[in-house]
Amino acid sequence: MQLETRPTAASSYARSLISRGCPQTLAVLVGEILARTDNAMDYSPAEKVLIERAYAHLSR
């Protein structure tokens, strides 16, 4: 495991998702999307699907 001394917002989102049971690959993709903008209106339909999949893992 690599320790980041200055984690990016994307990596922070990804770590949070992973710690709650989201698969790492999906968490990294969604972390990048969430870090880019916090306005849900800016997400493409495909990005919305990825975000929904990532959060679906959290409710299990």
Side-chain angles (χ1 to χ4, degrees):
M1 184 171 155
Q2 189 175 350
L3 183 62
E4 295 175 275
T5 56
R6 291 185 179 189
T8 63
S11 65
S12 293
Y13 281 123
R15 276 196 312 278
S16 293
L17 290 167
I18 292 166
S19 72
R20 292 178 173 93
C22 183
Q24 183 175 357
T25 305
L26 180 58
V28 170
L29 288 172
V30 171
E32 292 291 334
I33 294 167
L34 295 174
R36 190 182 74 240
T37 180
D38 60 353
N39 185 357
M41 298 297 285
D42 292 337
Y43 301 142
S44 72
E47 290 171 334
K48 289 178 184 179
V49 169
L50 288 173
I51 292 167
E52 288 172 10
R53 281 189 192 162
Y55 279 96
H57 287 281
L58 306 185
S59 61
R60 291 183 184 178

